């Protein structure tokens, strides 16, 4: 499901919703679909939501796959809060259109996207224009709410919540991931009772294969 306030989802009911709020929304989706325990995959903000579901409702999670999860210190949280999610409004010249496209493109170039120096360059290809176009449309649809899940992610107390996770968990270290996030994956994995980190090779097919093998082995056990 889309995170509330992103994509085609409804806007959050609370402008200051935290990750627990977004986790509850996801669980309500599972309830509406009649699903009990499920395997969860989450990336970045989604990884924090999945982690929170596993920490707060262990009976709902069979296995967990997380990518791009970390915890920000106070200085980094302030830096991201001030620079990552600018408030953008439509104007008579359509400048929000250009901003939306570059917001999406630059996230494939740098991490964080607003630090555009060589040391923050990502080791990955920029997606084709069609993919960037679709991403830009997703952002433009939610100009007034896109920042809410980001702010929730920046403030998430990942370490304390990860220590409560009992489900088998695979922490991904993708080839294209920022070194700091990949290092954080190993740290978070150690906090979990059944966590381990993996650095698959072979691009996206290798990444997907590592996830599939983990979930298959977990299900078989």
């Amino acid at each position: 499901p889309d995170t509330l306030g992103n994509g085609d989802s409804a806007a959050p009911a609370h402008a200051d919703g935290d990750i627990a709020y977004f986790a509850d929304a996801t669980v309500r989706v599972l309830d509406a679909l009649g699903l009990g325990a499920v395997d969860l995959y989450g990336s970045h903000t989604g990884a924090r939501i999945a982690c929170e579901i596993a920490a707060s409702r262990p009976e709902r999670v069979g296995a967990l796959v997380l990518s791009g999860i970390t915890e920000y210190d106070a200085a980094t949280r302030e830096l991201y809060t001030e620079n990552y999610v600018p408030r953008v409004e439509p104007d008579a010249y359509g400048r929000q259109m250009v901003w939306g496209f570059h917001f999406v493109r630059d996230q494939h170039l740098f991490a964080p996207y607003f630090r555009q120096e060589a040391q923050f360059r990502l080791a990955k290809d920029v997606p084709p224009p069609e993919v960037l176009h679709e991403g830009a449309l997703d952002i433009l649809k939610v100009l007034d709410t896109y920042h809410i899940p980001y702010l929730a992610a920046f403030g998430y107390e990942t370490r304390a919540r990860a220590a409560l996770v009992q489900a088998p968990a695979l922490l991904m270290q993708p080839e294209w991931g920022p070194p700091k996030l990949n290092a954080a994956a190993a740290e978070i994995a150690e906090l979990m009772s059944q966590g381990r980190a993996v650095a698959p090779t072979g691009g996206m097919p290798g990444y997907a294969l590592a996830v599939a093998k983990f979930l298959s082995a977990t299900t078989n056990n």
Side-chain angles (χ1 to χ4, degrees), residues 12-96:
H14 305 286
D16 59 350
D18 57 9
I19 289 296
Y21 169 78
F22 290 102
D24 181 70
T26 302
V27 171
R28 287 189 278 117
V29 171
L30 300 180
D31 291 342
L33 294 173
L35 299 175
V38 298
D39 298 333
L40 289 176
Y41 172 87
S43 176
H44 294 255
T45 299
R48 292 162 170 84
I49 294 172
C51 179
E52 181 59 27
I53 294 172
S56 61
R57 300 169 175 85
E59 74 283 358
R60 302 303 295 267
V61 179
L64 197 61
V65 181
L66 306 178
S67 180
I69 187 169
T70 189
E71 179 174 339
Y72 297 122
D73 58 36
T76 302
R77 187 162 55 248
E78 182 179 359
L79 176 70
Y80 276 46
T81 299
E82 292 180 354
N83 295 280
Y84 209 106
V85 285
R87 303 299 192 269
V88 180
E89 297 180 356
D91 71 14
Y93 296 95
R95 280 182 283 245
Q96 76 278 6

Side-chain angles (χ1 to χ4, degrees), residues 1-220:
D2 285 336
T3 304
L4 290 178
N6 291 162
D8 291 314
S9 68
H14 305 286
D16 59 350
D18 57 9
I19 289 296
Y21 169 78
F22 290 102
D24 181 70
T26 302
V27 171
R28 287 189 278 117
V29 171
L30 300 180
D31 291 342
L33 294 173
L35 299 175
V38 298
D39 298 333
L40 289 176
Y41 172 87
S43 176
H44 294 255
T45 299
R48 292 162 170 84
I49 294 172
C51 179
E52 181 59 27
I53 294 172
S56 61
R57 300 169 175 85
E59 74 283 358
R60 302 303 295 267
V61 179
L64 197 61
V65 181
L66 306 178
S67 180
I69 187 169
T70 189
E71 179 174 339
Y72 297 122
D73 58 36
T76 302
R77 187 162 55 248
E78 182 179 359
L79 176 70
Y80 276 46
T81 299
E82 292 180 354
N83 295 280
Y84 209 106
V85 285
R87 303 299 192 269
V88 180
E89 297 180 356
D91 71 14
Y93 296 95
R95 280 182 283 245
Q96 76 278 6
M97 306 291 186
V98 177
W99 172 85
F101 188 87
H102 285 86
F103 177 78
V104 173
R105 186 203 63 175
D106 290 350
Q107 292 198 55
H108 292 283
L109 290 171
F110 302 95
Y113 78 94
F114 58 85
R115 297 294 303 272
Q116 298 186 0
E117 302 102 68
Q119 62 179 311
F120 299 103
R121 183 71 166 87
L122 292 172
K124 59 182 289 189
D125 295 334
V126 177
E130 294 80 9
V131 174
L132 298 179
H133 173 73
E134 292 178 0
L137 291 179
D138 274 344
I139 284 293
L140 292 170
K141 286 187 295 187
V142 293
L143 276 181
D144 55 345
T145 59
Y146 87 99
H147 62 285
I148 300 175
Y150 274 116
L151 294 176
F154 299 158
Y156 187 57
E157 297 180 351
T158 304
R159 295 184 183 90
R161 302 307 289 168
L164 300 177
V165 173
Q166 299 300 313
L170 188 67
L171 280 291
M172 305 301 293
Q173 298 170 307
E175 295 170 290
W176 55 86
K180 287 186 178 180
L181 283 183
N182 283 345
E187 176 195 355
I188 300 303
E190 291 182 358
L191 296 172
M192 298 177 172
S193 62
Q194 299 187 70
R196 65 183 179 91
V198 63
T201 58
M204 186 57 74
Y207 182 97
L209 181 61
V211 173
K213 285 183 175 180
F214 169 73
L215 293 177
S216 179
T218 303
T219 301
N220 291 336

